[in-house]
Amino acid sequence: MTTRASLYVRLSRQASDTNLSLDGMTDDLRELCRQEGMTEVALHVDDGLSGGYRDRPAFTAWIADARSGRAQVLLTWHVDRLTREGLNVAAQLLDVVEGKDPATGRQISRPVRLLDVKGLDSDHGETFRMRFVLQAEIARAERERMRERSKAAHRRIAQAGRYRGGFTPYGYKAVPAADGKGQSLAIEPREAQAIRESVDRVLSGHTLGRVARWLNDQGYSPRRTDEWSRRGLLHVLTGDAILGRVSRGGKPVRDAEGAILTPFPAIIGEAEHSALKAACNPQGERRTPMGRQPSRLLSGLLTCFSCHAVLTVVRRNGRTAAYRCMSRGMGKACTAAVSVGAKVIEDHVTDRYLRAVGSMRMTREHVVTEGIDELPAVDAEIADVMAQVATRATASLFERLAALQAQREELEDKPPVQHIEIVDTGLTVAQWWTDAHLDDQRDALAEAFGLLEVSPGKPGSRIFDPARLRLEWSPPDELVADRL
């Protein structure tokens, strides 16, 4: 009667595995199977999966072959193909080989034999157990060394101001490094402009959805998708890349002393970044409305002369848009509900607005955020003190560390200070209006007009009578009062 064998191979993507191949390891296992006079009943392959985790599909199925009695022998290429967790998984595998329940230690299945092509054999008794556990721990230690080497290499590359490749962060472009070795990152002007304008808009109270619409309207294309979304914009604005930092596993890379590395030019400052995170508030309660796009230019701005209700955008005969008072349909009193074509009144209001202020210079608000720029310096000093504590733990160092940590907590609790600066866009209002997004155009009209009240028109008339619109400007400043 032939002995049934289940085969297992694993190949990760670590650099140390480049001298191995799945086909080569499989051939070695099948040759061992032939030499031992066994029959192969299954081949389980985990391709590209780390040995640092035990929930690999093929590994789990391989163990199940032994537990179910499908296989009498488990064959693998080497212990480091089974696990890089050390004793943790070594104990689990020993229970499988001996047919024991890992929870109780009682016998629940037939023992099986474990072999590898390097000479490991569970039939060798105590020698096998000691060798198996030792090799599992060696594999675990090697994994830790690989991780540390990878981290150190990442730090060296970042500290040298070089870019290690992969996906280039939005707002940057890859350029030759200053020392001629590899690449670095430089600011991509148009994308950085989009980021800075987005920061201003979010800190001014605009929702992420509205800012995303503006980016799409202005032709600022994202990298991986056709258009901007709230989630994509949130990722860019709250990520570490726009601070010139390098991240790994979602955390900023630090140097040997623990200071955060900033090898590339920053697009925004630390204070702005902190204020952005608070404004976006992805994990907390919503602080701003959803930011739904208005359907028309005058949505929410026109009112009915009779009942003063805000006019609603409707479709006439399912085609042309109009603004209409819906009070009667909602059971409210209105002596003469009004309706007006959307395009004609939008054109009229726009014309009145641009004739009054179109030649004036267009300005915008720039939110300046200050107050926590000292955080990186405090972090760096904390890291320096902790490094000293590791070599000589004196009372004075502990006192200094406690004081620095208290200072850091105070800085974190202190909200950033913001003030508004008025910036000239270099355009007239009329020039700005031509390419402005609907959201921004509507905001400009809402700020300019205190009242836009519509009265009924003549029955059957298709021409808009300007006398139907009662228009009142918002209290103007001294510079524009004489134009209105």
Side-chain angles (χ1 to χ4, degrees):
M1 183 177 178
T2 59
T3 303
R4 303 181 304 277
S6 180
L7 286 55
Y8 175 78
V9 292
R10 179 188 66 84
L11 185 66
S12 73
R13 297 305 182 199
Q14 298 292 339
S16 61
D17 289 338
T18 54
N19 61 333
L20 302 176
S21 73
L22 290 175
D23 289 342
M25 288 189 288
T26 301
D27 290 344
D28 289 345
L29 283 176
R30 284 177 170 156
E31 175 61 22
L32 177 61
C33 192
R34 185 191 63 79
Q35 292 175 0
E36 294 288 331
M38 301 174 185
T39 300
E40 176 187 332
V41 295
L43 171 65
H44 300 287
V45 179
D46 278 322
D47 187 7
L49 299 182
S50 170
Y53 305 97
R54 66 191 74 171
D55 58 348
R56 290 162 273 145
F59 178 68
T60 302
W62 182 65
I63 290 177
D65 284 347
R67 290 294 196 192
S68 66
R70 182 186 184 192
Q72 299 162 295
V73 178
L74 297 178
L75 296 185
T76 189
W77 196 80
H78 189 264
V79 173
D80 64 11
R81 298 302 91 197
L82 296 180
T83 178
R84 288 191 182 272
E85 284 191 88
L87 289 173
N88 308 58
V89 176
Q92 177 188 7
L93 287 168
L94 286 174
D95 281 337
V96 173
V97 170
E98 296 173 4
K100 292 182 178 180
D101 184 338
T104 65
R106 297 180 183 277
Q107 198 82 25
I108 58 172
S109 62
R110 288 181 175 275
V112 295
R113 185 182 178 191
L114 175 63
L115 288 172
D116 74 9
V117 297
K118 303 298 183 180
L120 188 72
D121 188 343
S122 61
D123 281 353
H124 293 167
E126 293 300 323
T127 302
F128 158 75
R129 292 177 66 91
M130 294 179 63
R131 182 178 172 187
F132 179 66
V133 170
L134 180 61
Q135 289 182 356
E137 274 298 297
I138 290 173
R140 183 201 60 79
E142 177 59 23
R143 177 173 179 259
E144 292 303 314
R145 284 194 294 271
M146 288 190 292
R147 294 175 64 180
E148 288 303 316
R149 287 196 296 267
S150 178
K151 288 180 181 178
H154 200 96
R155 283 197 298 269
R156 286 195 299 272
I157 290 172
Q159 205 158 11
R162 292 200 296 273
Y163 175 54
R164 69 193 299 262
F167 178 70
T168 305
Y170 190 83
Y172 294 88
K173 59 183 177 181
V175 297
D179 60 3
K181 299 178 181 179
Q183 291 185 313
S184 184
L185 291 182
I187 290 176
E188 202 291 316
R190 178 168 167 76
E191 293 182 353
Q193 177 186 358
I195 290 174
R196 293 190 185 104
E197 177 72 14
S198 297
V199 170
D200 268 357
R201 288 172 174 266
V202 171
L203 294 183
S204 296
H206 293 191
T207 63
L208 289 172
R210 174 170 172 174
V211 178
R213 292 196 300 271
W214 174 81
L215 287 168
N216 293 327
D217 181 73
Q218 298 298 308
Y220 291 111
S221 301
R223 295 280 179 82
R224 292 184 174 182
T225 57
D226 294 333
E227 61 180 20
W228 286 96
S229 65
R230 292 180 69 257
R231 183 180 295 275
L233 181 59
L234 177 67
H235 177 76
V236 170
L237 296 184
T238 60
D240 285 329
I242 59 177
L243 291 171
R245 296 174 178 173
V246 179
S247 294
R248 185 176 186 186
K251 297 180 180 179
V253 175
R254 298 175 181 268
D255 63 17
E257 283 71 43
I260 295 175
L261 290 175
T262 308
F264 309 121
I267 296 176
I268 67 172
E270 182 80 30
E272 285 179 301
H273 195 250
S274 178
L276 268 176
K277 287 186 173 181
C280 295
N281 197 29
Q283 303 300 327
E285 296 180 0
R286 182 179 298 280
R287 297 181 182 176
T288 59
M290 286 294 289
R292 182 179 300 171
Q293 182 175 9
S295 59
R296 301 286 305 194
L297 179 63
L298 300 178
S299 293
L301 302 183
L302 298 177
T303 59
C304 173
F305 92 107
S306 174
C307 65
H308 308 298
V310 174
L311 302 189
T312 302
V313 178
V314 297
R315 290 282 177 181
R316 286 175 171 170
N317 301 322
R319 296 189 301 275
T320 59
Y323 293 94
R324 180 176 297 170
C325 177
M326 305 299 289
S327 292
R328 290 181 179 177
M330 299 173 64
K332 298 178 181 180
C334 183
T335 58
V338 300
S339 179
V340 61
K343 188 175 187 310
V344 291
I345 196 167
E346 288 168 355
D347 289 346
H348 176 74
V349 172
T350 299
D351 180 65
R352 292 283 301 272
Y353 175 73
L354 293 179
R355 276 195 288 116
V357 300
S359 61
M360 297 178 63
R361 301 294 292 180
M362 183 65 191
T363 60
R364 67 176 179 85
E365 292 184 350
H366 170 57
V367 180
V368 179
T369 307
E370 301 170 336
I372 60 169
D373 286 334
E374 56 266 48
L375 259 179
V378 174
D379 279 338
E381 194 169 353
I382 288 175
D384 180 61
V385 172
M386 290 184 69
Q388 295 179 55
V389 168
T391 57
R392 52 185 186 91
T394 64
S396 60
L397 283 175
F398 279 111
E399 289 177 4
R400 178 59 181 155
L401 181 60
L404 286 169
Q405 289 173 336
Q407 183 182 357
R408 194 187 195 290
E409 291 176 1
E410 183 179 346
L411 288 172
E412 284 185 323
D413 293 338
K414 183 180 178 182
V417 177
Q418 295 182 334
H419 64 272
I420 306 295
E421 290 183 353
I422 303 301
V423 179
D424 190 341
T425 64
L427 302 172
T428 65
V429 173
Q431 290 170 333
W432 167 82
W433 184 273
T434 301
D435 296 320
H437 188 265
L438 175 67
D439 286 319
D440 297 332
Q441 290 177 337
R442 183 190 172 284
D443 277 358
L445 296 181
E447 184 178 357
F449 299 116
L451 179 69
L452 293 171
E453 188 176 85
V454 184
S455 59
K458 295 180 180 180
S461 176
R462 296 189 176 184
I463 299 175
F464 177 71
D465 180 3
R468 294 181 59 191
L469 179 67
R470 181 186 171 194
L471 180 151
E472 293 181 2
W473 293 85
S474 295
D477 58 36
E478 296 178 359
L479 294 176
V480 300
D482 59 343
R483 295 172 178 264
L484 308 180

